[in-house]
Amino acid sequence: MKVAFGADHGGYLLKEEVKKHLDERGIPYEDFGCFLEESVDYPDMAVPPCKAVLAGECDLALLFCGTGVGISMAANKIKGIRACCCSDVFSAKYTRLHNNANALCLGGRVVGPGLACELVDVFLDSEFEGGRHQRRVDKVMALEK
Ligand code: RB5
C-alpha cells in the first residue's frame, strides 16, 4: 500500500498532519505538494497524485484543499479517478466498500487533524466489496465515455 498526497495551500497543514500519522503507521507515501502555505490552484495539485494512482505507482490518493470540494471536483474530471470528499467516517468507509473510490478528499478548513486521521484510517483499511457494486461502478465509469 502506497499513498499519493496532494494539496493546495488550504489543505497544506492538514496534509502535513496526516503524513505524520502515516509515518506512525509505517505506511509509505509520495507527496506531490504543495510544500508551502503559499497560494496555489487546487486543480493543478490534483493532477500529479491522481496520475500516480492511475499509473499504478500509488494505490490511493489523499487530497486536501480548504473544503475538500474543489480538489474533489478536479480529481473527478481525471479519467479513472473516483474521488470522494467527506467529513464523516461512514462515508469514508462506504466509498471504498461500494464505490471503489481511489481518492479521498478532505477540507483543511473543515475537519481537524484527529477526525482527518480517523477518516484516512477507515478509507485506507477498507476494501471494495465488488459483486453488485462492481456493476454500479462500471456504470459510473461508463459516464466518462
Ligand atoms: C482556496 O482558498 C480554496 O478555495 C480552496 O482551498 C478550496 O477550498 C476550494 O474548493
Side-chain angles (χ1 to χ4, degrees), residues 8-9 42 65-67 70 109:
D8 77 352
H9 54 289
Y42 56 82
C65 67
T67 57
R109 297 171 185 154

Side-chain angles (χ1 to χ4, degrees), residues 60-117:
L60 294 169
L62 297 177
L63 308 175
F64 304 81
C65 67
T67 57
V69 174
I71 204 157
S72 71
M73 288 181 171
N76 276 316
K77 295 287 181 192
I78 300 169
K79 277 191 178 179
I81 292 298
R82 293 174 298 281
C84 173
C85 174
C86 65
S87 52
D88 70 280
V89 172
F90 187 86
S91 300
K93 178 175 180 171
Y94 278 85
T95 199
R96 287 287 302 128
L97 295 179
H98 288 185
N99 312 131
N100 201 13
N102 51 14
L104 177 69
C105 307
L106 301 176
R109 297 171 185 154
V110 179
V111 296
L115 176 56
C117 292

Side-chain angles (χ1 to χ4, degrees), residues 17-132:
E17 291 296 326
V18 172
K19 276 167 58 185
K20 280 188 226 158
H21 181 64
L22 291 205
D23 287 337
E24 282 163 19
R25 284 195 58 183
I27 297 175
Y29 56 79
E30 188 162 349
D31 186 355
F32 293 90
C34 62
F35 301 105
L36 294 167
E37 282 183 88
E38 209 170 287
S39 182
V40 288
D41 296 337
Y42 56 82
D44 299 332
M45 305 316 294
V47 174
C50 288
K51 290 229 160 129
V53 169
L54 295 173
E57 293 156 10
C58 292
D59 300 288
L60 294 169
L62 297 177
L63 308 175
F64 304 81
C65 67
T67 57
V69 174
I71 204 157
S72 71
M73 288 181 171
N76 276 316
K77 295 287 181 192
I78 300 169
K79 277 191 178 179
I81 292 298
R82 293 174 298 281
C84 173
C85 174
C86 65
S87 52
D88 70 280
V89 172
F90 187 86
S91 300
K93 178 175 180 171
Y94 278 85
T95 199
R96 287 287 302 128
L97 295 179
H98 288 185
N99 312 131
N100 201 13
N102 51 14
L104 177 69
C105 307
L106 301 176
R109 297 171 185 154
V110 179
V111 296
L115 176 56
C117 292
E118 274 199 46
L119 295 166
V120 165
D121 282 345
V122 78
F123 185 77
L124 298 183
D125 297 343
S126 300
E127 287 287 334
F128 181 50
E129 285 179 346
R132 68 187 187 281

